[in-house]
């Protein structure tokens, strides 16, 4: 019996390469693999990670959500601004509802009316940029009386030495994983992404499933906005710019296919964490900031290439 | 005329866990039609892909026109004059017939610009030589399936192919188109081309081929002259035993009415369709492709909404359901296309089987995987499905085994009515017979069964009663002694002009 190298490489190739990278950086830098630095990286990726959890549902149905970056901006502005008028509790509630409403609108257009997901969410990105500027009047907002508010706990607090954002991220990941892996809804998500026609013939409400996936994407982004607002204690009109691409990069890096029908939450968590550690490692090694972007690009291309090579392997096995 | 075009000897090809081809040897002569038959999974597709340069064999020799060759790509095979005509055609719908015929080898002038005139003239010559009645400039997407197939065959003409492999060429052709295809194959044969003909349809094989090679479990069972053999012998070679009888009909023991529809109408698809089916009864729906049969059952199952009509379920008038409701009250629809409508190819058998019954296999909306595995095991055993386990993606299985998963999916929740749309299309004789037996078994258990089929012997063989449809209308109903081939054909062909008349009136 020979070892199936190709299969092994396909399933664990990226994680192997990632392990080598971690070992390499750790050898050259004592500060890298310390508990403090690991928690620091996890804290840094928690906002991207929270959003990615929701977007994973959308991607598994075979759709995209490019509106999460500008959604993050708007929702952060809302939570910070409302904190000053309604207080933290109601501000958070407002933000979650706003996230669900935006998700519902995307879900309505893509799920029920069958519009192209790329176009719908790209248009939403533009719309939300406009709404943000209108809402904020173009100026930055800040939390007034930050010292007296418990709002800071989401971004800055910690429990037993573990930052609250990390707890929120990993806790939500556990819940999301259960939802996707074990429930009727999760199975429907995989089915719709795998073959929508078969799903309909099997009595699955494909439109509702897609709609709910976008709801989750909105909800996850709202949670991320609460963490973001709490950490920064303020919001600029560009605070979420580019997040949609980082989120997508993490999901792809984890090995979830953009074609839909496969993937998982733990893959997304690993993909997002890998992005974080790579960026952190490069900084510790003293590379200038822009190198992160070049390396991220290279890694994504490598991930897609390995995925493709493995699929070719099936045909010419 | 009898020289060998291509011979293979000792070809072996293994995939992880499977020996797909085991020491296979056979040869194809110039000017003969050579049938390759075998059950699904017997190795026909693998052998065909070896011949077309898609797979590299582990061992063995291929001799093409007296020369030992190694075929490493489809392009190389084509350059040597070996052409594979796929079951699923591989044309670009946006391009013209001419552009498709010469795809990858467009003629250019001295400046490297496409020579449209030459392209068109050459392509037209190839099409004319095959007796085609359409122009080379026609956009392929606008052509019928049969004509698209002719475009593929024209490649053989254009590239002077000496070996053409047909894979299930009649799967989506009408009777008339089939006759035309056979004439074309006859022309190629007369021109000295060697032809490999892969098909599940015995009548075609006996009509058109000169020799038959039978494969079973990846090994050649023998090559025989077609005129010296019969269906019984070939079937025996394929499955390794006698087929007791080709068809099974359930004994007639009917109970109460399960389903009745009245005046079912959907504009543009079907009109005023009424029928009923009882417990223990097998109702056949016969008609040509496009007669509206699939559309009618899809409407009953809730995939489409009717414009008018009434539905009675077990004696009570019921609103037309949505698919989930239809499943809940006990309907099952085994759809026409198992890959597009029946299965999620990337999923394993377990998840495919339980897909229509997620609520049944969950508690508080949480899937109960142990129950899912139990039902998977039960049906793997009951239908003898060949698969490595509950998680093996069904895309890796043969057509027959895939179809068994579709059946398992619809039978596991004990439906009251089972609708099967072309249940044996594209699968081998052994599996066909198993499915006919299953249909009879369902009816004898007291289920109502509706079978849609375009194969006359199948409809007549399994049904108690046959409804014929033509151009969206019920054209006749036959049972007992009136259920004959003659009557069915007449009913289907007679209705067409009548329908036109009533439109005018």
């Amino acid at each position: 019996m020979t070892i199936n190298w190709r299969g092994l490489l396909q399933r664990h190739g990226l994680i192997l390469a990632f392990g080598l990278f971690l070992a390499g950086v750790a050898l050259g830098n004592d500060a890298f693999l310390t508990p403090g630095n690991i928690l620091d990286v996890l804290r840094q990726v928690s906002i991207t990670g929270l959003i990615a959890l929701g977007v994973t549902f959308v991607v598994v149905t075979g759709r995209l959500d490019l509106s999460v970056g500008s959604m993050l901006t708007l929702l952060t502005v809302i939570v910070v601004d409302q904190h000053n008028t309604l207080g933290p509790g109601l501000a958070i509630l407002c933000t979650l509802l706003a996230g669900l409403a935006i998700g519902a609108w995307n879900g309505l257009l893509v799920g029920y009316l069958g519009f192209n997901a790329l176009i719908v969410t790209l248009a939403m990105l533009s719309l939300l940029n406009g709404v943000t500027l209108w809402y904020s009047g173009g100026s930055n907002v800040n939390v007034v009386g930050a010292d007296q508010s418990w709002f800071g706990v989401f971004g800055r607090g910690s429990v037993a030495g573990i930052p609250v954002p990390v707890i929120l991220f990993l806790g939500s990941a556990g819940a999301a994983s259960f939802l996707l892996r074990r429930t009727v809804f999760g199975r429907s998500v995989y089915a719709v992404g795998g073959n929508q026609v078969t799903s309909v013939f099997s009595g699955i409400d494909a439109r509702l499933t897609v709609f709910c996936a976008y709801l989750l994407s909105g909800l996850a982004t709202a949670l991320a906005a609460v963490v973001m607002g709490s950490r920064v204690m303020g919001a600029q009109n560009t605070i979420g710019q580019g997040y949609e691409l980082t989120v997508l990069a993490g999901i792809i890096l984890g090995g979830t296919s953009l074609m839909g029908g496969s993937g998982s939450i733990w893959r997304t968590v690993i993909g997002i964490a890998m992005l974080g550690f790579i960026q952190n490692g490069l900084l510790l090694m003293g590379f200038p900031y822009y190198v992160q972007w070049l390396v991220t690009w290279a890694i994504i291309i490598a991930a897609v290439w390995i995925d493709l090579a493995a699929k070719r392997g099936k045909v010419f096995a | 005329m009898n020289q060998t075009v291509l011979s293979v000897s000792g070809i072996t090809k293994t995939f992880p866990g499977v020996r797909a081809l085991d020491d296979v040897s056979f040869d194809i002569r110039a000017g003969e039609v050579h049938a390759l038959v075998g059950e699904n999974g017997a190795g026909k597709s693998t052998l065909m892909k070896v011949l077309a340069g898609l797979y590299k064999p582990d061992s063995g020799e291929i001799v093409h026109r007296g020369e030992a060759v190694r075929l490493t790509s489809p392009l190389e095979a084509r350059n040597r004059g070996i052409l594979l005509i796929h079951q699923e055609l591989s044309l670009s719908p946006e391009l013209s017939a001419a552009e498709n015929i010469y795809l990858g080898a467009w003629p250019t002038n001295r400046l490297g610009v496409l020579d449209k005139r030459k392209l068109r003239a050459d392509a037209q010559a190839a099409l004319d030589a095959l007796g085609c009645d359409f122009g080379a400039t026609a956009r392929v997407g606008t052509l019928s399936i049969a004509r698209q197939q002719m475009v593929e065959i024209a490649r053989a003409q254009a590239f002077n192919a000496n070996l053409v492999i047909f894979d299930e060429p009649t799967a989506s052709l009408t009777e008339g188109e089939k006759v035309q295809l056979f004439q074309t194959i006859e022309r190629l044969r007369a021109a000295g081309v060697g032809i490999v003909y892969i098909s599940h349809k015995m009548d075609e094989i006996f009509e058109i081929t000169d020799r038959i090679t039978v494969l079973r479990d990846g090994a050649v069972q023998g090559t025989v002259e077609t005129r010296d053999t019969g269906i019984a012998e070939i079937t025996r070679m394929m499955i390794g035993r006698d087929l007791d009888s080709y068809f099974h009909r359930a004994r007639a023991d009917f109970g109460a009415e399960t389903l009745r529809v009245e005046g079912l109408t959907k504009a543009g698809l079907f009109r005023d369709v009424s029928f009923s089916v009882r417990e223990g009864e097998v109702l056949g729906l016969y008609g040509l492709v496009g007669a509206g049969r699939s559309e009618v059952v899809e409407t009953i199952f809730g995939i489409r909404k009717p414009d008018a009509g009434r539905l009675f379920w077990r004696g009570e008038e019921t609103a037309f359901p949505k698919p989930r409701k239809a499943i809940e009250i006990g309907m099952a629809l085994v759809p026409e296309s198992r890959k597009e409508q029946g299965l999620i190819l990337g999923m394993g058998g377990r998840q495919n089987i339980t897909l229509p019954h997620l609520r049944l296999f969950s508690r508080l909306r949480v899937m109960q995987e142990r129950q899912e595995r139990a039902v998977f095991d039960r049906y793997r055993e009951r239908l003898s499905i060949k698969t490595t386990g509950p998680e093996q993606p069904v895309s890796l299985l043969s057509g027959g085994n895939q179809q068994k998963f579709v059946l398992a999916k619809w039978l596991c929740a004990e439906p009251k009515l089972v609708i099967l749309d072309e249940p044996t299309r594209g699968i081998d004789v052994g599996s066909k017979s198993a499915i006919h037996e299953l249909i009879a078994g369902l009816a004898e258990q007291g289920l109502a069964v509706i079978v849609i089929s375009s194969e006359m012997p199948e409809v007549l063989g399994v049904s108690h009663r046959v409804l014929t449809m033509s151009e969206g209308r019920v054209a006749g109903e036959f049972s007992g002694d009136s259920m004959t081939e003659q009557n069915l054909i007449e009913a289907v062909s007679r209705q067409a002009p009548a329908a036109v008349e009533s439109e005018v009136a």
Side-chain angles (χ1 to χ4, degrees):
Chain A
M1 196 67 199
T2 55
I3 298 169
N4 182 358
W5 288 108
R6 205 198 293 264
L8 218 65
L9 195 71
Q10 178 204 353
R11 259 168 288 150
H12 307 297
L14 272 175
I15 292 175
L16 263 162
F18 180 55
L20 286 177
F21 173 84
L22 285 185
V25 182
L27 277 179
N29 196 318
D30 294 340
F32 185 55
L33 281 187
T34 55
N37 190 52
I38 290 175
L39 280 180
D40 218 38
V41 171
L42 286 177
R43 193 175 54 78
Q44 281 163 12
V45 301
S46 59
I47 291 175
T48 327
L50 275 169
I51 301 174
L53 297 179
V55 175
T56 300
F57 285 86
V58 174
V59 171
V60 175
T61 68
R63 271 83 173 171
L64 284 172
D65 191 346
L66 296 180
S67 67
V68 290
S70 61
M71 204 193 310
L72 178 67
T73 306
L74 174 63
L75 295 175
T76 309
V77 168
I78 288 178
V79 77
V80 169
D81 183 60
Q82 292 303 319
H83 177 275
N84 295 340
T85 32
L86 298 174
L90 283 175
I92 291 170
L93 187 67
C94 275
T95 306
L96 296 181
L97 288 177
L100 286 171
I102 297 168
W105 187 240
N106 279 331
L108 192 73
L109 292 176
V110 179
Y112 282 91
L113 298 182
F115 290 4
N116 180 288
L118 185 83
I119 311 233
V120 165
T121 59
L122 208 53
M124 180 59 89
L125 179 149
S126 174
L127 172 69
L128 294 180
N129 277 339
V131 173
T132 304
L133 288 171
W134 167 74
Y135 183 92
S136 68
S139 52
N140 298 340
V141 288
N142 289 297
V143 169
V144 179
D147 300 340
Q148 287 96 47
S149 174
W150 53 268
F151 181 58
V153 73
F154 300 106
R156 301 174 170 188
S158 61
V159 176
I162 301 173
V164 172
V166 175
I167 296 173
L168 271 176
F169 170 40
L170 295 181
S172 306
S177 183
F178 180 81
L179 187 62
L180 184 59
R181 191 50 81 184
R182 299 288 312 277
T183 66
V184 171
F185 168 68
R187 186 67 60 83
S188 310
V189 169
Y190 281 112
V192 169
N195 183 340
Q196 186 155 343
V197 176
T198 296
S199 305
V200 170
F201 270 82
S202 303
I204 286 169
D205 193 335
R207 296 186 291 187
L208 180 66
T209 306
V210 171
F211 178 80
C212 289
Y214 278 100
L215 275 189
L216 285 173
S217 183
L219 182 67
T221 309
L223 279 176
V226 171
V227 173
M228 178 74 105
S230 164
R231 181 193 294 173
V232 181
M233 282 295 170
Q236 304 95 43
N237 292 320
T238 54
I239 199 163
Q241 211 168 55
Y243 269 71
E244 62 280 344
L245 292 182
T246 318
V247 161
L248 218 49
I251 292 174
I252 295 170
L253 200 52
T256 293
S257 167
L258 288 184
M259 302 299 290
S262 70
S264 69
I265 292 293
W266 73 262
R267 278 182 174 280
T268 293
V269 170
I270 286 185
I272 291 285
M274 277 165 74
L275 274 186
F277 276 106
I278 288 163
Q279 296 182 350
N280 176 264
L282 291 171
L283 275 184
L284 284 182
M285 286 193 292
F287 286 102
Y289 176 69
Y290 63 81
V291 173
Q292 290 180 16
W293 294 97
L294 303 184
V295 172
T296 305
W297 169 83
I299 290 168
I300 290 171
I301 297 299
V304 174
W305 178 71
I306 287 179
D307 187 42
L308 200 68
K311 280 190 188 117
R312 278 213 201 100
K314 270 179 210 152
V315 179
F316 292 107
Chain B
M1 209 49 185
N2 259 355
Q3 91 219 58
T4 301
V5 180
L6 181 121
S7 69
V8 298
S9 52
I11 297 277
T12 297
K13 173 78 190 167
T14 54
F15 295 110
V18 202
R19 177 163 283 217
L21 291 177
D22 186 6
D23 194 21
V24 167
S25 305
F26 85 124
D27 64 283
I28 302 139
R29 298 175 194 145
E32 82 162 340
V33 181
H34 193 131
L36 203 55
V37 300
E39 296 198 90
N40 288 325
K44 297 178 309 247
S45 309
T46 312
L47 180 56
M48 172 181 83
K49 283 177 180 159
V50 167
L51 295 185
L54 282 159
Y55 286 159
K56 197 163 70 72
D58 300 338
S59 62
E61 196 181 32
I62 302 175
V63 177
H64 182 235
R65 308 178 109 186
E67 193 184 330
V69 291
R70 291 183 56 210
L71 301 169
T72 52
S73 75
L75 188 68
E76 194 181 328
R78 190 174 82 177
N79 288 341
R80 297 201 61 98
I82 301 172
L83 197 87
L84 171 62
I85 303 205
H86 288 275
Q87 189 173 359
E88 277 117 26
L89 301 176
S90 54
L91 299 169
S92 303
E94 296 300 326
L95 298 182
S96 71
E99 286 164 330
N100 267 293
I101 291 170
Y102 284 96
L103 203 61
W106 290 345
T108 51
N109 63 20
R110 267 173 306 170
L111 295 173
V113 177
L114 175 64
D115 186 346
K116 277 200 169 179
R117 195 169 301 168
K118 178 171 164 52
L119 173 69
R120 209 177 302 157
D122 289 355
Q124 194 65 57
L127 288 171
D128 290 345
L130 294 176
C132 295
D133 58 352
F134 56 94
T137 52
R139 203 164 59 83
V140 159
T142 65
L143 297 174
S144 69
I145 296 286
R147 286 176 168 177
Q148 292 187 18
Q149 197 177 43
M150 284 298 164
V151 173
E152 285 234 359
I153 300 172
R155 281 185 185 160
Q157 189 78 26
F159 288 96
N160 269 322
N162 45 58
L163 179 68
V164 181
I165 305 164
F166 286 94
D167 181 19
E168 296 281 356
T170 60
S172 26
L173 300 190
T174 64
E175 200 61 28
E177 290 166 341
K178 191 178 94 179
V179 172
Q180 260 188 336
L181 172 71
F182 283 4
Q183 285 168 358
T184 305
I185 292 178
E186 207 50 58
R187 280 176 211 236
L188 291 173
R189 188 215 314 249
V193 176
I195 291 157
V196 179
Y197 192 88
I198 298 172
S199 178
H200 284 113
K201 297 186 181 164
M202 284 296 161
D203 52 337
E204 290 175 10
I205 285 166
F206 279 88
E207 181 179 341
I208 195 173
T209 68
D210 302 302
R211 287 194 298 164
I212 304 174
T213 291
V214 181
L215 280 173
R216 185 169 86 226
D217 298 330
V220 171
Q221 299 302 309
T223 299
V224 291
E225 299 278 335
T226 308
R227 61 170 178 274
D228 297 339
T229 185
I231 292 187
E233 187 189 350
I234 296 297
T235 319
R236 196 158 46 239
M237 287 166 79
M238 278 167 63
I239 62 175
R241 64 179 165 86
D242 280 305
L243 270 187
D244 348 291
S245 69
Y246 206 67
F247 295 108
H248 287 259
R249 191 183 349 238
R251 60 170 186 277
D253 179 12
F254 307 144
E257 182 181 277
T258 303
L259 172 88
R260 177 154 50 100
V261 290
E262 286 178 2
L264 200 59
T265 298
K266 174 86 179 173
L269 291 175
F270 50 84
R271 258 178 90 172
D272 200 21
V273 173
S274 304
F275 64 86
S276 71
V277 59
R278 289 166 285 179
E279 292 170 359
E281 184 181 34
V282 181
L283 174 69
L285 265 184
Y286 177 77
L288 302 177
V289 176
R293 299 164 305 165
S294 300
E295 289 80 0
V296 166
V297 295
E298 282 170 18
T299 305
I300 293 170
F301 192 71
I303 305 279
R304 299 162 189 270
K305 281 196 186 115
D307 295 332
R310 303 167 77 184
L311 183 137
F312 299 82
W313 178 250
R314 307 179 85 197
E316 276 176 51
E317 177 153 19
T318 314
F320 281 90
K322 286 189 170 187
R324 201 180 82 207
K325 179 80 178 150
I327 294 165
E328 274 170 16
I329 62 177
M331 289 191 198
L333 171 61
V334 177
E336 191 176 2
S337 163
R338 62 177 167 269
K339 284 185 182 170
E340 279 144 35
Q341 304 166 327
L343 292 169
I344 294 184
L345 292 173
M347 279 186 172
R350 166 178 68 93
Q351 299 198 0
N352 267 298
I353 290 179
T354 59
L355 199 61
H357 324 291
L358 293 181
R359 283 164 190 233
L360 230 53
F361 288 93
S362 63
R363 201 177 302 150
L364 297 173
R365 298 295 184 113
V366 177
M367 296 305 300
Q368 302 294 307
E369 290 195 12
R370 191 176 304 173
Q371 288 176 28
E372 291 190 272
R373 273 194 293 273
V375 77
F376 168 84
D377 288 338
R378 193 156 72 241
Y379 276 89
R380 170 154 80 167
E381 166 119 15
R382 194 174 146 193
L383 303 179
S384 39
I385 306 175
K386 283 180 198 154
T387 172
T388 58
E391 313 306 330
Q392 185 187 30
V394 295
S395 58
L396 302 177
L397 305 180
S398 70
N401 282 309
Q402 288 181 348
Q403 185 70 346
K404 285 176 182 175
F405 269 124
V406 182
L407 289 168
K409 166 178 172 177
W410 288 111
L411 297 181
C412 72
E414 296 173 0
K416 308 269 188 299
L417 165 71
V418 180
I419 305 168
L420 301 113
D421 194 349
E422 303 282 4
T424 63
R425 173 175 287 172
I427 66 176
D428 58 81
V429 178
S431 301
K432 258 187 188 177
S433 175
I435 287 172
H436 294 147
E437 216 167 304
L438 188 83
I439 291 172
L442 293 174
E444 286 178 1
Q445 283 165 38
L447 274 69
V449 182
I450 299 176
V451 177
I452 295 180
S453 176
S454 304
E455 287 186 40
M456 176 99 64
E458 178 170 277
V459 169
L460 292 174
V462 301
S463 315
H464 295 115
R465 193 155 54 94
V466 177
L467 220 61
T468 56
M469 278 191 72
S470 169
E471 307 200 340
R473 286 158 181 271
V474 174
E477 184 180 329
F478 305 94
S479 59
D481 292 341
S482 74
M483 242 169 64
T484 62
E485 280 191 40
Q486 189 66 28
N487 283 347
L488 260 56
I489 290 177
E490 272 178 21
V492 170
S493 49
R494 190 182 50 214
Q495 181 64 20
V500 173
E501 271 168 40
S502 67
E503 293 289 344
V504 175

